[in-house]
Amino acid sequence: MKVAFYAPMKALDDPTPSGDRTVGRLLVAALRKAGHDVVVPSRLRSYDRGDPARQRRLRDLGRRVADRLVARHAGQGRPFDLWFTYHLYHKAPDWIGPHVAGSLGIPYVVAEASVAGKQRGGLWQPGYEASLAALARAELVIGFNPADRPGVRAHLQPQTRYLDLPPFVDTRPFAAATGTRGATRAKLAARHGLDPALPWLVTVAMMRDDQKLASYRVLAAALAMIDTPRFQLLLIGAGPAEAAVRAAFAPLGARVAFHGAADPDAVPELYAAADLYVWPAIKESWSMAFIEAQAAGLPVVAGRSGGVAGVVEDGVTGFLAAAGDADGFAAGVRRLLDPATRSAMGRAAAKRALAHHDIDRAAARLDEALRTVVAAGNAPRQAVAV
């Protein structure tokens, strides 16, 4: 099938790395793995920080883009078999897809939507209304975060299908990286002065002055509570809040090494060289890094926020602490500094990542769901003005 894939939050070729870009690219990879022809019909970014006037300008621009797409394909039958929008919410509504899908008579599919009722009547009112209109138009909604399900389903038509799809990665590079663990560990030890005899904790996260910085501060406070056994922490990431992150970890001294940003292709080896992944994940949906780390055989200590409990099985592949609870987080780290516990949970983590979060499994489930929607021959719904 030919799939029109649109990401209003962030374009797939955006130069700035982010979890949103990663998930979007993985979705496209899964669709192509299932044999679908994926095209990107527009790069319009509708993300807005809370300016109603700008949202109205984006709405008008989106309508013009939609009209051009419809006119371009007029008389060509169905140029796409379906429209697929990734990451829909009040800050990044879809001003294009509902109109195009309705006009061309093709199914409209949404992946990773969320509805925040508190935004009704607020700064993002235009985007909020547009997101609800798009959900009302959808034939299929795909959810990665179980926490989003109730809010989203309340705004769907009775016949709309909802697919719970665990977030996923290509687990193969992470599993393969375990074969070079010794060599990578030696290089990192030489570069950062790390002691290979100690357990290494690792964190991979951007350094931004938002919930990322809040998570870094909780992590620093938690690790400062642990005197024994000894450990070292490798921080992989960079960003505008790096100075504040360094200040938070200054009390830990030589126990912390700052690696800086890493090339995505090098990340699997960095995970595999470590022993334990740690991240408080304040106000995060789930964090792809949890899945990547587990695919490399690392158990995890995480904050219990958003959909994190859906990707880290508490007591099996790691330990969860209440969001922002430095004491509880420190307790989880202490438990996984025990070699036997860490080894057993690391094996369980790799097994679970392959069974539940691998791209092959996701591709098969996506393919089945999309083909079901197309084959159902749902009567095209009236185009929605948003």
Side-chain angles (χ1 to χ4, degrees), residues 48-58 122-126:
D48 177 74
R49 296 182 181 275
D51 180 349
R54 183 172 183 273
Q55 291 171 55
R56 289 189 288 270
R57 290 195 297 272
L58 286 168
L123 293 176
W124 288 277
Q125 178 67 12

Side-chain angles (χ1 to χ4, degrees), residues 10-257:
K10 191 172 192 178
L12 300 177
D13 59 355
D14 190 288
T16 304
S18 69
D20 191 81
R21 189 186 73 172
T22 297
V23 176
R25 290 179 174 182
L26 282 166
L27 273 169
V28 170
L31 291 168
R32 288 175 173 158
K33 185 177 281 287
H36 302 295
D37 179 11
V38 181
V39 297
V40 177
S42 175
R43 295 185 70 261
L44 176 64
R45 185 173 186 246
S46 68
Y47 178 77
D48 177 74
R49 296 182 181 275
D51 180 349
R54 183 172 183 273
Q55 291 171 55
R56 289 189 288 270
R57 290 195 297 272
L58 286 168
R59 176 200 60 196
D60 294 342
L61 177 57
R63 286 174 173 172
R64 291 197 294 272
V65 171
D67 287 340
R68 286 198 297 269
L69 284 170
V70 172
R72 182 186 308 163
H73 297 295
Q76 298 181 17
R78 289 189 173 187
F80 313 115
D81 292 291
L82 61 89
W83 182 283
F84 192 116
T85 291
Y86 161 63
H87 205 169
L88 173 75
Y89 75 128
H90 61 278
K91 290 185 181 180
D94 183 0
W95 299 113
I96 304 174
H99 177 67
V100 174
S103 297
L104 298 180
I106 60 175
Y108 179 68
V109 177
V110 173
E112 195 178 4
S114 61
V115 176
K118 64 183 179 181
Q119 299 302 332
R120 182 184 290 108
L123 293 176
W124 288 277
Q125 178 67 12
Y128 177 80
E129 291 178 350
S131 295
L132 296 190
L135 288 173
R137 170 64 179 80
E139 277 84 7
L140 170 67
V141 175
I142 300 162
F144 298 133
N145 184 352
D148 292 332
R149 187 193 307 118
V152 170
R153 296 199 70 161
H155 298 281
L156 303 182
Q157 299 294 332
Q159 67 271 30
T160 301
R161 292 172 170 83
Y162 191 96
L163 172 66
D164 284 303
L165 183 68
F168 57 90
V169 300
D170 185 348
T171 62
R172 286 167 294 189
F174 299 93
T178 61
T180 60
R181 171 181 163 85
T184 306
R185 196 172 172 89
K187 291 177 184 177
L188 290 171
R191 174 175 171 177
H192 296 296
L194 297 170
D195 184 350
L198 294 178
W200 293 359
L201 284 57
V202 65
T203 291
V204 180
M206 295 183 69
M207 297 178 178
R208 297 196 306 257
D209 190 10
D210 54 13
Q211 62 263 30
K212 296 290 187 185
L213 178 56
S215 290
Y216 273 115
R217 285 173 169 159
V218 170
L219 178 60
L223 298 186
M225 300 176 187
I226 304 173
D227 295 324
T228 58
R230 295 172 60 211
F231 65 87
Q232 290 183 300
L233 170 67
L234 181 64
L235 293 180
I236 300 168
E242 182 171 343
V245 173
R246 287 181 176 271
F249 285 93
L252 280 80
R255 286 190 286 175
V256 180

Side-chain angles (χ1 to χ4, degrees), residues 260-344:
D263 185 282
D265 291 337
V267 169
E269 291 184 349
L270 295 173
Y271 283 122
D275 300 286
L276 167 63
Y277 189 81
V278 291
W279 184 240
I282 293 176
K283 294 183 180 179
E284 293 196 21
S285 294
W286 66 78
S287 179
M288 290 297 292
F290 292 140
I291 303 173
E292 295 171 345
Q294 291 177 98
L298 270 62
V300 168
V301 180
R304 189 189 292 273
S305 62
V308 173
V311 299
V312 179
E313 189 172 358
D314 192 22
V316 177
T317 68
F319 294 110
L320 299 178
D325 179 7
D327 291 286
F329 198 94
V333 173
R334 288 191 192 96
R335 295 177 72 179
L336 279 171
L337 287 175
D338 171 66
T341 304
R342 190 167 65 244
S343 179

